[in-house]
Amino acid sequence: MAEKTYPMTIEEKELLEKELEELKLVRRPEIVERIKIARSYGDLSENSEYEAAKDEQAFVEGQISTLETKIRYAEIVDSDAVAKDEVAISKTVTVQEVGETDKEVYHIVGLVKKKVKKL
């Protein structure tokens, strides 16, 4: 069975890789140290610091797993292959609601939407 792919721009993939590196090299060791300190307090059954650190560890490990999967199955989208008048990942679009004079410009970057500016 084929794995799910994650369409994204090269920039989005680079952001995910940076976030993954931060989780692995900074957050994970910090949590391990917090667990070590909390264990030194003794009885783990009533140790809220230990429980909080273990919960955070589980959350971070889940984030790491998710990011690794998205990066592994990333499908880089080539915006040059999409017509100029189509909305797609890696394109910039201007939105104006009916009856409004304000326009908003968005850059479509996959799973993350980044507002560029309000005109």
Side-chain angles (χ1 to χ4, degrees):
M1 178 164 95
E3 288 289 330
K4 177 180 178 180
T5 60
Y6 297 88
M8 65 183 72
T9 62
I10 191 70
E11 293 85 6
E12 184 178 6
K13 184 178 180 195
E14 289 169 356
L15 285 172
L16 294 178
E17 290 170 338
K18 189 174 183 178
E19 183 180 352
L20 179 61
E21 183 177 338
E22 170 79 14
L23 289 172
K24 284 183 167 183
L25 300 179
V26 178
R27 295 273 313 273
R28 184 186 267 167
E30 288 174 352
I31 295 168
V32 168
E33 185 61 27
R34 284 181 44 216
I35 290 171
K36 182 178 170 184
I37 291 168
R39 277 188 180 147
S40 71
Y41 297 152
D43 185 12
L44 298 181
S45 65
E46 295 182 21
N47 188 328
S48 62
E49 289 89 357
Y50 177 78
E51 289 300 320
K54 290 298 281 182
D55 289 345
E56 186 176 358
Q57 181 183 42
F59 178 76
V60 167
E61 292 302 326
Q63 285 183 304
I64 288 171
S65 177
T66 298
L67 290 174
E68 287 174 337
T69 299
K70 286 181 179 179
I71 291 167
R72 183 178 309 116
Y73 297 105
E75 181 182 320
I76 304 304
V77 175
D78 179 12
S79 65
D80 296 334
V82 178
K84 292 187 184 233
D85 62 345
E86 288 185 40
V87 175
I89 294 174
S90 174
K91 293 288 190 172
T92 300
V93 296
T94 303
V95 177
Q96 181 177 5
E97 291 189 37
V98 176
E100 297 289 327
T101 57
D102 292 341
K103 295 179 182 178
E104 295 178 345
V105 179
Y106 293 90
H107 184 72
I108 311 300
V109 292
L111 301 176
V112 180
K113 180 175 69 172
K114 178 175 77 172
K115 187 174 183 179
V116 178
K117 60 185 170 180
K118 191 169 187 174
L119 301 175

